[in-house]
Amino acid sequence: MRHLMSPLDFSVEEVEKVLDLASDIEKNPAKYAHACDGKVLATLFYEPSTRTRLSFESAMIHLGGQVLGFSSAASSSASKGESVSDTIRMISCYADICAMRHPKEGAPMVASAVSGIPVINAGDGGHQHPTQTLTDLMTIRSLKGRLDHITIGLCGDLKFGRTVHSLVKALVRYENVRFVFISPEELRIPSYIREEVLDANGQNYKEVERLEDVIGDLDLLYMTRVQQERFFNEEDYIRLKDFYILNKEKMALAKPDMLVLHPLPRVNEISVEVDNDPRAAYFKQVQYGVYVRMALILTLLEVNV
């Protein structure tokens, strides 16, 4: 039995297999409509979520399976003091596979150690978000045709952004990927990512503050919101939340084929005027997320179609 805690839990070859399966699901959805008949997915979301939780539920329903779970800690026995370990032991009696989101780093790992069913980390604090990373990789591969020889700018909250941390860890395994980190000083990429992931792999990267200075060099721009829920200080959040706003003027400086990605939700860091730009790929990203999660469920349940 396998779990997915980090994007590095799968080798590059295994990631390719998941993405190939997701692409086949996109082309032939009817073929997979009953692949998980009789199977149950549990969604244990101790933290609010729209896209991740609903896309997991949509994925399982499209595979013919069923879903149960909770959407906040307050509506679970966690509010009574039940531990994550006890919750997953109980859920293992009800479901065949589980997706867990938790505000504490490492909580899904704790669950996987005692679980009787595969556990998927659907986001743990500011740490990892592997299914968003698989979604990002599918979006890039589908729209760019490759995952190597690209220059990617990651902009906004790079300190607390778990989607950024997971994506960087995944992309360093591909050839000639150049990273441009765009953030204010206070929200720079954490030192452990810089030292253990980038420097350890001899990675080509640079850090800048102004998006306008580098947007013309990028093949991909990965925007992120400044996350209010990760800040300890309201004043710091208010000061930094509008630091980057992608608008038509900035898009005019970019390459004609640059793609804009965003893990969503968006607050105001991408102006709505950008939505109609053909380079805006963030809503396509959402659709790819369903196909990826369908492929991942089939892979972890070892269902062959």
Side-chain angles (χ1 to χ4, degrees):
M1 184 177 66
R2 291 190 71 176
H3 309 285
L4 181 66
M5 295 295 111
S6 154
L8 303 188
D9 288 350
F10 284 2
S11 68
V12 170
E13 292 74 22
E14 288 171 326
V15 168
E16 291 295 316
K17 283 184 182 176
V18 170
L19 299 185
D20 288 344
L21 179 55
S23 295
D24 194 55
I25 291 168
E26 179 188 9
K27 295 182 185 80
N28 307 290
K31 176 175 155 188
Y32 297 89
H34 298 285
C36 285
D37 282 358
K39 301 286 188 185
V40 176
L41 165 75
T43 53
L44 311 185
F45 277 66
Y46 292 83
E47 196 176 48
S49 168
T50 303
R51 266 148 308 280
T52 305
R53 183 172 62 86
L54 293 183
S55 66
F56 265 113
E57 293 181 2
S58 175
M60 193 54 155
I61 291 165
H62 278 95
L63 290 168
Q66 294 178 296
V67 181
L68 53 80
F70 54 81
S71 58
S72 76
S75 59
S76 77
S77 287
S79 63
K80 303 173 187 174
E82 183 173 61
S83 69
V84 164
S85 296
D86 282 2
T87 299
I88 194 64
R89 283 190 173 103
M90 177 195 67
I91 293 296
S92 296
C93 302
Y94 302 154
D96 301 286
I97 188 168
C98 159
M100 175 184 286
R101 168 168 291 185
H102 203 284
K104 289 186 179 174
E105 285 86 351
M109 181 72 81
V110 170
S112 70
V114 297
S115 177
I117 58 175
V119 176
I120 300 168
N121 178 4
D124 59 332
H127 192 218
Q128 303 268 11
H129 197 345
T131 63
Q132 181 64 51
T133 300
L134 289 172
T135 298
D136 299 339
L137 295 179
M138 183 178 182
T139 306
I140 296 167
R141 195 180 80 157
S142 298
L143 300 180
K144 278 288 181 192
R146 65 187 189 280
L147 289 168
D148 51 12
H149 298 87
I150 54 172
T151 299
I152 179 168
L154 299 110
C155 180
D157 182 357
L158 309 186
K159 181 178 181 179
F160 299 110
R162 58 190 170 202
T163 58
V164 169
H165 304 165
S166 286
L167 184 57
V168 170
K169 288 180 178 181
L171 283 176
V172 294
R173 302 194 289 181
Y174 294 89
E175 191 177 342
N176 197 24
V177 175
R178 295 171 299 281
F179 295 95
V180 181
F181 298 111
I182 308 148
S183 70
E185 182 72 27
E186 297 93 329
L187 296 176
R188 289 175 67 189
I189 200 90
S191 57
Y192 88 90
I193 296 282
R194 197 179 295 110
E195 294 161 11
E196 297 172 24
V197 181
L198 296 164
D199 295 341
N201 286 282
Q203 200 62 46
N204 184 343
Y205 71 94
K206 66 179 177 179
E207 296 179 274
V208 300
E209 274 209 6
R210 280 171 46 86
L211 176 57
E212 298 90 325
D213 293 345
V214 294
I215 193 169
D217 303 327
L218 306 178
D219 301 310
L220 298 155
L221 174 60
Y222 196 91
M223 293 294 294
T224 66
R225 72 187 169 95
V226 176
Q227 302 174 84
Q228 184 174 8
E229 65 271 27
R230 307 272 175 239
F231 275 79
F232 299 111
N233 187 321
E234 182 75 12
E235 289 176 8
D236 285 345
Y237 168 71
I238 291 168
R239 182 168 50 84
L240 294 169
K241 71 184 178 72
D242 295 330
F243 207 92
Y244 298 107
I245 298 176
L246 183 64
N247 54 24
K248 276 186 175 179
E249 287 73 29
K250 291 190 181 80
M251 287 297 288
L253 303 172
K255 293 179 182 178
D257 62 345
M258 184 195 76
L259 295 178
V260 182
L261 278 66
H262 193 308
L264 302 177
R266 161 178 64 182
V267 183
N268 64 343
E269 60 280 355
I270 300 179
S271 170
V272 291
E273 66 188 19
V274 176
D275 293 354
N276 294 324
D277 191 303
R279 295 170 290 181
Y282 32 90
F283 291 118
K284 289 179 186 169
Q285 223 175 326
V286 174
Q287 185 62 60
Y288 286 131
V290 177
Y291 303 136
V292 159
R293 290 178 177 100
M294 289 171 74
L296 184 59
I297 288 167
L298 292 173
T299 300
L300 293 179
L301 287 178
E302 299 180 345
V303 174
N304 294 309
V305 176

